[in-house]
Amino acid sequence: MLLRILDRFEEVLISVLMAVAVALIFVAVVHRFSLGAAADLVGYARSHEMTGLQSAARSVFKAINSIKLTWAQEACIYLFVWMAKFGAAYGVRIGIHVGVDILVERLKDPAKRIVTAIAMSGGILFTAILVWIGTDFVYHVRLGGQTSPDLEMPMWIIYLAVPLGSALMCFRFIQALYLYLTTGYIAHHDLSSVDGVEEEAKDVAEGGHG
Amino acid sequence: QDAITIKFSHVVAPDTPKGKGAQKFKELAEQYTEGKVKVEIYPNSQLYKDKEELEALQLGAVQMLAPSLAKFGPLGVQQFELFDLPMLFANREELRKITDGDVGKGLLAKLEDKGIKGLAYWDNGFKIMSANSPVITPDDFLGLKMRIQSSKILEAQMEALGAVPQVMAFSEVYQALQTGVVDGTENPPSNMYTQKMHEVQKHATISRHGYLGYAVIVNKAFWDGLPEDVRANLEKAMAESTVYANGIAAEENDKSLEAMKAAGTTEFHEMTDEERAEWLEVLKPVHEEMSDRIGADLIQQAYQAIGTN
Amino acid sequence: MTALIIFLILTVLLLTGMPVSIALGLTVFSFLFAFTEIPMDSIALKLFTGIEKFEIMAIPFFILAGNFLTHGGVARRMIRFATSMVGHWYGGMGMAAVMACALFAAISGSSPATVMAVGSILIPAMVKQGYPPQFGVGSIATAGGLGILIPPSIVMVMYSVATSGMVVTGPDGQPVLSASIGTLFMAGVVPGLMLASMLGATTYFRAKKHNYPRMARADWRERWLAFRESVWGLMLIVIIMGGIYGGIFTPTEAAAVSAVYAFVIAVWVYKDIKLREVPKVLLSSAAMSAMLLYIITNAVMFAFILTSEQIPQTLSDWIVGLGLGKIGFLLVVNIMLLFIGMVMEPSAIVLIMAPILYPVAVKLGVDPVHFGIMMVVNMEIGLCTPPVGLNLYVGSAISKLGLTEVTKAALPWLATALVFLMLITYVPEITMFLPHLLGMN
Ligand code: NA
Ligand code: NA
């Protein structure tokens, strides 16, 4: 039960971070584009001495310009830093992290089992080290009192993504190792899955357009 | 006995004023301490990038840096944003009254809480405005998208001029100017020239409206742990390299400006006194507006030191 | 010596089959622990700052945009348009397959997805028409590689990210600016079209030789209808390239805008994806992006170790000292990349090898943009070479042919791609023509 909540949380978190980042940058682009257009209109009105239009355009410009989005890029970066750390943990669960498996695929069973277990333990070890040095780092940054330049957010909160994400990832590696040792199952993500190809293929084969 | 090693890391090329200043310091430091100190220079962000180097210094991974003054605000010493205020110094003499005086020393002392010891101020230079349309009077800025580095003061400055500030990494600026994602930017002439921005900017006004500088800093624990005589010799080496570095910076800016004028791709406008007055009128309120961040007292102190108000 | 130790550790770790990102990270830690006095803390820094760059964020955005449009329905529209244009030539469906891959590549930054989308629709249809399955799978597995050469391309973003900020000097000792994402994308267009034409030509001549069936010539009405259907998807590349070149946005912003565009087209225009399926697309895109960003973070750490041990410089001096010259060096690079491409995936190769090879290339007078495209073409070929070649795997899965047979089937097209690689390597004008024409540096 608790585990299912964790799974769900992980999925929702990274999807939402992705969606928010896209929306934010899209809005920032539209914002800049409309500012440019309003300013051009002011310039046009000024050069054609249309005072009415000029002041109207000026107030439109001022209205759009009162929304400040200089922080959008920085926010986008931090959203993606969080997405990357937690997404990497989710990636362990679904087996998206690829390695070079040509040797392992050629091994016979006891050896194969041992090498695969070593590979997974490597993941546990690495992420555990990250939890340790990440926590230490966050602690130091917190003492230093640094803030981000645009949002002026405390940096330690942003950097918390590393120890937290790594802890989750470490847990996922342990889970994967346990699953492998008990059932022999390894999650494997299909990098080339495409929705809707079967239907289209069937239709084309039956003589549809294509 | 092993020599004491100082790793001096910076983010620019060895042949820039800062790079040459670092080299000078290395020579003098090794000479004055008679080889007790060895200085290793890591230019070009070889070890640490712009965003990382302060943390690396605090962690003791490097001993000496020369970051841009704008880096100290996010570190928690917002008073350093004083240097970003537009039209604060009219010229180099006025600047020196701050950097060589009590205000400058007081600011460096504030870094000690952060485990940093400030040794000296090194110039990059005074900034000029460039764009693809003439930027002579404040009215010319209306709606122009101007690239700035992250800074609330610079944001306020561009807004006061009627421009739209855009935060953008230095490495992206050339292409952004070329394609027109942004219309203009501000830079000391030497930066503008080394990044070849004059190729993609039609107009520039030699406004010298703002200052860009660095502080040479060391890890405080490391510095305090040095033998007294070594420290004294290093201070002497630093003082001489500072004069040297600032001399080169001024020279470099003049040369870059001449080179860009000779290239003929940008039309340079020398700001007149009347224009300066106009700019001052719209930019001076930024000082007031930002006094909450920087400290009204500090701004007053600076005015007094310079002799303006 | 140090270089040897580092690469030995990395190779051993990689051979256990652990994720490339983890192997890179553990290499760094074990090297630090055993051989140096660099404090661990200073490495921790790289874990945080490694991906703190707005340019890198183009990767998740492009992946999202591609995923919205990577759908059977979109591939089908591309195929219909391609068939209407070239279906009546020799090897009609094969030609259409190559063209459809090129069109699909303009939407997707991923090669395997291109093979899957075009292949799973066309290969069964081709078999039904009397083509041997080998013909279809050979052409599509290779043409699918266009996904990373024709923009948008994740591998190009990786190259730009891996080399930007490196201060390198040319033969004259003057600093050289690194390749921007925008310029790389622009530079990929002509080579992409050229490779598509060459693969098409190979298809044509093989079909002519074996007298494979041709299709009836489509009339202009059908062509127009097919075009109108596929144009919504193809507008994506117009928005990206036009937007970057026209100064409307930076590459990262272009990627974000194209993701929003792809979402609107997929949900409301093509109606291939229902609104309730959008979270699924977001999730799979986030997972894929996170995986790549994780490799980047650890590759940055790895590059830091290499740099602080002065390995790129030493290697650079050594190679320049060998006196291979530009021609010899590029040949060695190609052989090396093709060899590594046999066993590793493109993103990791670019992130590990670019920081090492790039300074040497520039020193010998190779343009950063040209070198980037050359690397991308190598990666593309690597996707189609055994034993590890994703495009081959996908081809094998679709066609139910064994890996060896798919590899053999792909040989004629692979040989074409190798000829193309030589052209790209030694005729830089092919790459640089468009960027220069547009005045991009
Ligand atoms: Na593509
Ligand atoms: Na391969």
Side-chain angles (χ1 to χ4, degrees):
Chain A
M1 179 61 193
L2 216 63
L3 214 57
R4 208 156 341 131
I5 294 176
L6 184 66
D7 288 1
R8 199 82 190 118
F9 165 76
E10 199 176 62
E11 291 163 14
V12 171
L13 177 73
I14 61 176
S15 308
V16 168
L17 289 172
M18 185 87 174
V20 173
V22 172
L24 184 60
I25 296 303
F26 183 72
V27 170
V29 171
V30 171
H31 176 252
R32 187 180 62 216
F33 194 76
S34 5
L35 267 176
D40 287 347
L41 194 61
V42 176
Y44 175 84
R46 189 163 54 186
S47 62
H48 290 75
E49 293 176 10
M50 300 153 86
T51 31
L53 181 64
Q54 193 187 333
S55 63
R58 238 179 227 275
S59 49
V60 170
F61 176 85
K62 285 210 176 110
I64 309 172
N65 201 19
S66 64
I67 307 164
K68 300 292 166 221
L69 287 174
T70 31
W71 48 270
Q73 286 199 6
E74 191 183 278
C76 169
I77 292 173
Y78 295 146
L79 290 170
F80 275 146
V81 167
W82 277 74
M83 186 205 73
K85 303 303 172 198
F86 283 82
Y90 170 71
V92 175
R93 176 148 66 92
I94 62 168
I96 206 172
H97 297 277
V98 286
V100 179
D101 56 3
I102 47 168
L103 180 72
V104 186
E105 287 303 314
R106 278 159 185 72
L107 289 177
K108 294 264 169 338
D109 219 349
K112 185 174 181 176
R113 243 174 115 78
I114 293 168
V115 173
T116 305
I118 290 175
M120 286 178 164
S121 312
I124 299 175
L125 177 66
F126 180 69
T127 47
I129 297 175
L130 292 199
V131 175
W132 167 49
I133 56 180
T135 310
D136 185 62
F137 186 77
V138 167
Y139 174 75
H140 277 109
V141 172
R142 198 184 157 170
L143 288 185
Q146 287 165 46
T147 54
S148 71
D150 295 317
L151 289 165
E152 306 200 302
M153 255 176 83
M155 284 311 284
W156 70 270
I157 293 181
I158 291 155
Y159 286 158
L160 214 50
V162 173
L164 291 182
S166 301
L168 188 56
M169 199 170 171
C170 188
F171 173 68
R172 293 300 182 199
F173 269 120
I174 294 171
Q175 243 184 343
L177 179 64
Y178 176 77
L179 208 62
Y180 177 67
L181 291 179
T182 51
T183 66
Y185 172 81
I186 297 181
H188 189 80
H189 182 78
D190 185 3
L191 286 170
S192 62
S193 76
V194 178
D195 281 339
V197 282
E198 292 84 10
E199 298 89 307
E200 303 292 343
K202 208 165 142 235
D203 191 37
V204 170
E206 281 163 4
H209 271 298
Chain B
Q1 192 192 341
D2 279 354
I4 301 163
T5 305
I6 297 180
K7 285 188 178 160
F8 189 161
S9 168
H10 64 76
V11 297
V12 299
D15 60 352
T16 55
K18 183 156 82 174
K20 287 181 191 164
Q23 184 62 34
K24 188 77 178 176
F25 173 73
K26 172 187 162 73
E27 285 159 20
L28 294 176
E30 290 176 355
Q31 182 194 334
Y32 292 160
T33 60
E34 290 158 346
K36 276 185 221 148
V37 168
K38 198 168 155 276
V39 181
E40 291 173 2
I41 299 175
Y42 297 87
N44 289 333
S45 311
Q46 252 174 41
L47 287 184
Y48 295 101
K49 310 251 179 293
D50 212 18
K51 282 185 174 170
E52 305 161 347
E53 54 174 19
L54 275 174
E55 278 147 2
L57 182 94
Q58 287 174 313
L59 292 167
V62 293
Q63 285 74 41
M64 190 175 275
L65 300 174
S68 132
L69 295 171
K71 292 281 173 285
F72 297 121
L75 197 68
V77 193
Q78 272 181 357
Q79 291 94 330
F80 271 92
E81 292 180 353
L82 177 79
F83 289 99
D84 278 342
L85 285 178
M87 298 282 189
L88 179 63
F89 323 105
N91 53 44
R92 204 167 286 129
E93 289 68 45
E94 293 191 2
L95 167 71
R96 289 288 170 260
K97 287 177 187 165
I98 299 296
T99 55
D100 296 349
D102 291 339
V103 176
K105 289 200 182 76
L107 283 171
L108 290 181
K110 289 195 197 313
L111 293 172
E112 301 204 3
D113 286 347
K114 307 283 172 190
I116 294 171
K117 169 89 185 162
L119 298 181
Y121 291 95
W122 285 8
D123 292 344
N124 184 316
F126 287 99
K127 292 180 282 194
I128 64 176
M129 261 329 159
S130 66
N132 275 321
S133 51
V135 276
I136 296 167
T137 64
D139 219 30
D140 295 332
F141 282 91
L142 184 85
L144 289 188
K145 291 162 280 180
M146 300 294 287
R147 181 265 167 181
I148 54 168
Q149 57 172 335
S150 293
S151 154
K152 299 287 175 215
I153 313 290
L154 298 180
E155 207 176 313
Q157 165 200 294
M158 289 303 183
E159 303 230 311
L161 287 167
V164 182
Q166 294 284 322
V167 174
M168 187 175 281
F170 199 52
S171 58
E172 280 186 280
V173 180
Y174 182 91
Q175 192 145 49
L177 288 171
Q178 187 181 37
T179 57
V181 171
V182 289
D183 300 303
T185 183
E186 52 169 17
N187 273 304
S190 63
N191 285 7
M192 185 173 169
Y193 182 59
T194 49
Q195 289 295 309
K196 303 188 174 146
M197 288 182 206
H198 62 287
E199 292 173 357
V200 289
Q201 293 277 264
K202 291 197 186 74
H203 297 270
T205 296
I206 305 171
S207 48
R208 300 193 174 93
H209 62 278
Y211 170 73
L212 202 66
Y214 310 107
V216 186
I217 56 175
V218 283
N219 178 299
K220 186 172 185 300
F222 168 81
W223 188 255
D224 291 344
L226 290 173
E228 198 119 0
D229 61 317
V230 170
R231 213 163 40 216
N233 281 320
L234 290 178
E235 271 166 2
K236 186 173 153 210
M238 182 52 66
E240 286 174 33
S241 353
T242 300
V243 175
Y244 174 82
N246 288 346
I248 297 191
E251 217 174 88
E252 203 74 20
N253 276 314
D254 293 345
K255 268 199 281 188
S256 298
L257 199 53
E258 287 317 308
M260 289 190 288
K261 282 178 181 167
T265 48
T266 315
E267 195 176 306
F268 285 89
H269 172 77
E270 187 74 51
M271 189 181 244
T272 64
D273 288 342
E274 294 83 62
E275 285 154 11
R276 177 166 297 276
E278 267 184 80
W279 283 50
L280 190 62
E281 196 181 325
V282 297
L283 289 176
K284 194 68 186 288
V286 174
H287 297 200
E288 176 75 18
E289 198 186 321
M290 292 290 126
S291 61
D292 283 350
R293 298 179 60 88
I294 302 170
D297 289 353
L298 182 67
I299 297 178
Q300 282 312 318
Q301 273 175 30
Y303 287 162
Q304 273 165 17
I306 299 167
T308 54
N309 47 53
Chain C
M1 191 57 209
T2 340
L4 217 62
I5 296 171
I6 292 178
F7 281 98
L8 195 72
I9 301 175
L10 180 63
T11 311
V12 169
L13 290 174
L14 279 175
L15 284 177
T16 66
M18 71 174 60
V20 176
S21 47
I22 303 288
L24 284 167
L26 279 179
T27 304
V28 171
F29 285 159
S30 46
F31 180 75
L32 279 183
F33 188 72
F35 299 97
T36 73
E37 283 163 23
I38 305 175
M40 203 76 128
D41 282 351
S42 64
I43 295 299
L45 206 56
K46 298 281 170 184
L47 291 168
F48 295 87
T49 52
I51 53 170
E52 266 188 47
K53 247 181 170 182
F54 192 58
E55 293 99 307
I56 297 181
M57 304 313 158
I59 293 173
F61 287 145
F62 277 132
I63 288 177
L64 182 61
N67 280 358
F68 274 123
L69 291 175
T70 301
H71 190 278
V74 179
R76 167 81 182 279
R77 293 179 187 92
M78 302 294 168
I79 292 169
R80 180 181 172 190
F81 177 49
T83 311
S84 77
M85 295 308 287
V86 297
H88 56 287
W89 292 359
Y90 278 106
M93 286 190 111
M95 300 290 285
V98 173
M99 185 174 164
C101 283
L103 295 174
F104 203 79
I107 295 171
S108 168
S110 154
S111 287
T114 307
V115 178
M116 179 56 101
V118 176
S120 35
I121 297 174
L122 262 185
I123 292 174
M126 288 171 88
V127 172
K128 207 162 176 206
Q129 288 252 335
Y131 291 87
Q134 285 84 350
F135 184 70
V137 84
S139 55
I140 294 175
T142 329
L146 289 167
I148 59 173
L149 182 59
I150 293 178
S153 162
I154 306 294
V155 179
M156 287 183 196
V157 179
M158 295 271 188
Y159 173 80
S160 177
V161 164
T163 57
S164 91
M166 288 184 79
V167 181
V168 289
T169 50
D172 55 357
Q174 289 301 306
V176 174
L177 296 180
S178 61
S180 68
I181 297 170
T183 315
L184 284 167
F185 277 14
M186 218 44 106
V189 173
V190 172
L193 294 177
M194 189 174 158
L195 178 58
S197 312
M198 285 174 68
L199 294 174
T202 307
T203 312
Y204 179 88
F205 287 115
R206 288 192 63 77
K208 197 169 172 189
K209 190 171 147 204
H210 297 285
N211 202 17
Y212 290 145
R214 299 161 70 164
M215 305 178 81
R217 180 192 286 267
D219 57 15
W220 283 101
R221 203 184 105 81
E222 162 62 12
R223 286 178 182 173
W224 169 246
L225 287 178
F227 173 73
R228 229 180 37 187
E229 265 201 333
S230 51
V231 76
W232 292 109
L234 293 174
M235 276 302 285
L236 188 89
I237 187 72
V238 177
I239 291 174
I240 294 169
M241 304 297 272
I244 295 174
Y245 181 68
I248 299 170
F249 26 65
T250 64
T252 307
E253 291 170 343
V257 171
S258 72
V260 173
Y261 174 80
F263 160 70
V264 171
I265 295 301
V267 175
W268 286 295
V269 179
Y270 282 164
K271 301 194 173 77
D272 288 334
I273 295 178
K274 294 188 184 62
L275 209 50
R276 64 177 157 76
E277 292 170 328
V278 169
K280 208 182 82 185
V281 178
L282 284 170
L283 182 63
S284 71
S285 308
M288 173 65 98
S289 313
M291 185 265 285
L292 292 173
L293 293 174
Y294 209 73
I295 299 184
I296 296 180
T297 312
N298 291 356
V300 165
M301 233 171 35
F302 185 73
F304 171 78
I305 289 296
L306 295 184
T307 316
S308 72
E309 295 297 319
Q310 310 266 328
I311 290 169
Q313 292 94 315
T314 317
L315 208 68
S316 163
D317 293 345
W318 180 67
I319 295 176
V320 173
L322 282 180
L324 285 172
K326 199 157 130 181
I327 295 174
F329 169 73
L330 291 181
L331 189 69
V332 172
V333 167
N334 278 326
I335 293 170
M336 200 159 89
L337 289 177
L338 288 175
F339 188 71
I340 306 173
M342 287 185 175
V343 294
M344 260 168 87
E345 294 311 328
S347 310
I349 302 180
V350 168
L351 287 169
I352 297 170
M353 297 310 291
I356 300 174
L357 299 174
Y358 169 75
V360 192
V362 175
K363 184 98 219 158
L364 291 170
V366 184
D367 189 284
V369 175
H370 174 216
F371 193 66
I373 298 298
M374 204 188 97
M375 280 195 86
V376 170
V377 175
N378 270 296
M379 296 305 103
E380 211 184 314
I381 295 175
L383 284 165
C384 313
T385 54
V388 180
L390 261 181
N391 287 9
L392 297 178
Y393 292 171
V394 178
S396 158
I398 301 170
S399 62
K400 311 281 184 298
L401 296 174
L403 195 62
T404 323
E405 196 158 359
V406 174
T407 309
K408 230 192 283 171
L411 277 179
W413 289 274
L414 212 49
T416 311
L418 281 172
V419 172
F420 173 72
L421 173 63
M422 285 299 116
L423 283 172
I424 286 295
T425 306
Y426 293 114
V427 189
E429 289 76 15
I430 302 171
T431 307
M432 301 310 295
F433 165 73
L434 192 58
H436 281 164
L437 186 75
L438 298 175
M440 301 173 103
N441 72 327

